Amino acid sequence: PHLTFHTDGYYYFAATVPEYDRLELRRARTLAALGATGPKTIWRRHATGPMGSHIWAPELHAIGGKWYIYFAAGGAEKDAVWNIRIYVLENAAANPLDGGWIERGQLKTNWESFALDAATFAHRGTRYLAWAQKDPKIRGNTNLYLAKMDNPTSITGPQVMLSKPEFPWEQIRYWVNEGPALLVRNGRVWLTYSAAGTGAEYCLGLLTADENDDLLNPQSWKKSPEPVFTTHEANGVFGPGHNSFTKSSDYKTDLLVYHARSYLDIKGDPLHDPNRHTRVQPITWRADGTPDFGVPQPDAAAVR
């Protein structure tokens, strides 16, 4: 789930739909209103070829006076559904629910392999792309990468690996680091990511770098040896993950946006269970400047 509070005073919300076949957007003046606001379908998967299946994890970003949606998609044909890559749509309308979306094609990385969960951010005059991708030379499923962008639809220069699944909690069911999200606060860049499979084991990890360091130097980043946001059985929240960050409408509170299930037992592969609903709860900051995500709350504001 990706939620952003734009300068026009609206919250814009995008998330994977259970059918994995289309992209939807919602907008509302308040977080509470998002759940009651019907979505608008702005794009559907192709019947053949690329962008034909597994339409996953859209992120909506305003860049240079235009809107861009970054999302993952596989091929339509049976032997290509797992050929998942990153794609981009563009819209020049002031309201992204209006106007027409133009397909800008695949966002190419430095090599061709399973790639998804693109997130873009600007820092100190440079725009970056963070994403998850499979390196055939490294054991496991996906690692986290970072690169500079030369425009909203392409990267330039090398892509550097920031993290790979190395701790036991990142290797449950699958060896996964994915879903990067960025927050700059208190002189540091905080990068959360999701780890492991998508059942109750799903959780958030954390990387951090000094805001003045070279973000493309892997040595600038420190990785938490423990997850920072996990299943809380007593609260009835299971597998919280794939987060984004936004602000309260008064800009005073940082908000953690994530999805999770309200039950533990899942029949079959968790990937095919559609009941991960979006939740929003505040982030607090410790005296030493580090974020405290707390625990998943049973009464977190929900978007279903």
Side-chain angles (χ1 to χ4, degrees):
H2 188 258
L3 181 61
T4 184
F5 186 61
H6 191 48
T7 53
D8 62 2
Y10 281 93
Y11 283 101
Y12 291 90
F13 175 70
T16 305
V17 300
E19 295 81 6
Y20 299 162
D21 66 351
R22 64 192 185 276
L23 297 175
E24 295 180 343
L25 291 179
R26 304 186 200 191
R27 82 168 187 163
R29 289 285 187 184
T30 66
L31 290 172
L34 276 174
T37 301
K40 179 177 180 180
T41 298
I42 56 94
W43 182 88
R44 291 187 179 274
R45 69 183 179 187
H46 290 191
T48 60
M51 293 188 283
S53 66
H54 288 148
I55 309 304
W56 284 348
E59 287 209 4
L60 175 70
H61 293 271
I63 305 171
K66 296 182 179 181
W67 292 95
Y68 295 88
I69 289 182
Y70 301 84
F71 66 101
E77 288 69 33
K78 187 176 181 180
D79 62 349
V81 296
W82 292 106
N83 292 345
I84 291 174
R85 303 291 187 271
I86 299 165
Y87 297 91
V88 188
L89 305 180
E90 178 187 295
N91 188 339
N95 176 359
L97 278 72
D98 297 331
W101 286 92
I102 301 170
E103 294 179 0
R104 292 305 188 194
Q106 183 182 343
L107 197 161
K108 296 277 190 176
T109 59
N110 287 176
W111 63 83
E112 285 291 321
S113 66
F114 185 96
L116 72 171
D117 295 352
T120 182
F121 67 103
H123 182 60
R124 298 194 179 279
T126 299
R127 179 160 293 279
Y128 296 90
L129 188 79
W131 74 98
Q133 187 165 8
K134 165 69 178 177
D135 183 342
K137 300 176 183 177
I138 296 177
R139 181 183 177 185
N141 300 94
T142 53
N143 314 310
L144 295 179
Y145 295 91
L146 187 70
K148 288 184 180 180
M149 301 187 80
D150 54 355
N151 63 63
T153 63
S154 66
I155 63 172
T156 182
Q159 63 186 57
V160 298
M161 187 178 71
L162 301 186
S163 177
K164 64 180 180 180
E166 55 191 306
F167 298 116
W169 53 271
E170 298 176 296
Q171 301 173 350
I172 300 172
R173 200 186 303 264
Y174 300 109
W175 291 38
V176 167
N177 283 181
E178 64 183 11
L182 279 295
L183 181 64
V184 180
R185 190 72 70 245
N186 300 333
R188 302 197 65 80
V189 180
W190 309 95
L191 187 155
T192 53
Y193 65 93
S194 298
T198 55
E201 66 276 8
Y202 209 45
C203 61
L204 293 185
L206 183 65
L207 302 173
T208 183
D210 187 285
E211 67 176 359
N212 296 311
D213 285 351
D214 177 7
L215 300 186
L216 291 174
N217 179 357
Q219 300 304 313
S220 297
W221 296 87
K222 294 182 180 179
K223 181 175 181 177
S224 171
E226 301 292 338
V228 294
F229 199 64
T230 63
T231 286
H232 197 286
E233 191 163 356
N235 283 351
V237 183
F238 299 90
H242 203 149
N243 78 290
S244 59
F245 296 108
T246 192
K247 285 278 194 183
S248 60
S249 57
D250 62 5
Y251 287 95
K252 293 182 179 179
T253 305
D254 293 302
L255 300 176
L256 177 69
V257 185
Y258 63 98
H259 62 182
R261 295 184 180 89
S262 58
Y263 52 87
L264 174 63
D265 295 325
I266 300 169
K267 294 180 180 179
D269 190 333
L271 188 63
H272 304 301
D273 180 284
N275 294 313
R276 287 193 288 175
H277 297 299
T278 300
R279 301 158 186 256
V280 184
Q281 63 187 65
I283 300 167
T284 59
W285 294 90
R286 302 182 182 95
D288 65 358
T290 60
D292 184 354
F293 301 113
V295 299
Q297 297 299 313
D299 57 352
V303 181
R304 299 176 183 271

